[in-house]
Amino acid sequence: MTDTTMRHYIIADNQELTAFALQSLLRQDETNSVLRTSDKAGLIQLLKEHEDAVVILDYTLFDFLDEDNLLIVSERFALASWILLSDDLNQAILRKTVYASHVFSVVFKSEPMSIIREAIQAATNRKRYISQRAMEIILTKEQQEEEHSVLTATEIEIVKAIALGKTTREIASDRFSSIHTITTHRKNIFRKLGVNTAHEIVKYALRAGWVDASEFYI
């Protein structure tokens, strides 16, 4: 007997080509309901309507503040299954999500279509699927020290201040330093951490535990 139960899939990916390919793939089965959203607010609304959906998410392109924020949403909608589908998932992201929750499957966009199909099928059956490539990244031992160890004590304090929304002028005033000195520190911090925006600094400070995450989860 054929299973005609409608299955709901939510594509949370801002890349038009990827979203189109996933929609085409999923709609090959006429019993599938395929929805798409472009931001976290829209995703939450769709999950309220379809709590048991399979969410196919490119985390790196979406407006989650960090992995903890993603985990909070996944815990809120405990019946949903999640597939992290991206080409920019690093070891820290993978370990945090995979170790913290059993609902996350992981595949990379550059992997063969057969692997992506297997991941979707597993998630549909509420089973986890971790591709071989993702597993290798998760299990690889760290070859370098943690990034924040390269920052000086002063730079760490400035990172905290930036994460709390203080301007360069305010930080300079608090530290009795010149604006030029703080600007130089900022440039060095951005270079050492490999970031380009203050938003990325906020995410880094939250991951490092240097600021209180509750201030950012409204």
Side-chain angles (χ1 to χ4, degrees):
M1 183 175 179
T2 303
D3 182 4
T4 59
T5 303
M6 178 172 287
R7 299 180 175 90
H8 301 285
Y9 297 86
I10 300 173
I11 299 173
D13 192 314
N14 291 322
Q15 286 185 335
E16 292 290 336
L17 186 59
T18 301
F20 177 78
L22 288 171
Q23 288 172 329
S24 299
L25 174 63
L26 293 168
R27 284 174 176 159
Q28 289 177 4
D29 185 338
E30 295 181 355
T31 65
N32 291 341
S33 166
V34 184
L35 309 164
R36 186 187 173 195
T37 182
S38 59
D39 57 32
K40 185 178 72 174
L43 174 58
I44 289 174
Q45 182 58 45
L46 288 176
L47 282 169
K48 288 179 180 178
E49 300 168 6
H50 309 288
E51 292 187 343
D52 62 346
V54 175
V55 180
I56 305 175
L57 168 71
D58 190 333
Y59 167 78
T60 59
L61 295 181
F62 240 58
D63 58 339
F64 284 100
L65 188 58
D66 61 9
E67 303 93 275
D68 288 325
N69 196 201
L70 172 60
L71 288 168
I72 289 171
V73 174
S74 70
E75 290 170 2
R76 178 179 174 185
F77 299 98
L79 296 179
S81 298
W82 298 71
I83 301 174
L84 300 184
L85 178 65
S86 177
D87 268 335
D88 295 312
L89 294 170
N90 59 38
Q91 187 183 66
I93 294 172
L94 291 176
R95 285 184 171 180
K96 185 68 174 286
T97 53
V98 169
Y99 290 166
S101 175
H102 70 281
V103 301
F104 289 100
S105 297
V106 183
V107 288
F108 289 88
K109 289 182 177 180
S110 57
E111 296 194 85
M113 180 62 72
S114 59
I115 299 296
I116 296 174
R117 286 179 183 272
E118 288 177 11
I120 293 173
Q121 185 60 47
T124 300
N125 294 325
R126 300 188 63 79
K127 297 179 180 179
R128 168 183 278 187
Y129 185 96
I130 310 293
S131 75
Q132 182 64 33
R133 177 182 167 190
M135 186 61 71
E136 289 173 355
I137 293 174
I138 292 170
L139 297 178
T140 298
K141 293 182 178 179
E142 294 286 356
Q143 299 298 316
Q144 300 176 345
E145 295 180 340
E146 290 291 329
E147 292 173 337
H148 62 257
S149 66
V150 304
L151 298 182
T152 66
T154 296
E155 288 169 341
I156 290 174
E157 291 303 313
I158 291 173
V159 166
K160 293 178 183 178
I162 294 171
L164 292 174
K166 292 190 175 183
T167 65
T168 299
R169 184 179 297 277
E170 289 171 334
I171 297 171
S173 176
D174 290 344
R175 300 188 62 82
F176 303 101
S177 300
S178 69
I179 292 177
H180 173 74
T181 297
I182 301 303
T183 299
T184 300
H185 279 307
R186 283 177 62 106
K187 289 180 179 178
N188 289 334
I189 290 166
F190 278 47
R191 175 179 54 80
K192 288 181 178 182
L193 299 184
V195 300
N196 298 303
T197 67
H199 179 65
E200 292 175 287
I201 289 290
V202 172
K203 293 173 68 174
Y204 186 89
L206 284 166
R207 288 197 301 268
W210 292 339
V211 293
D212 186 356
S214 65
E215 297 181 41
F216 299 91
Y217 300 148
I218 302 173

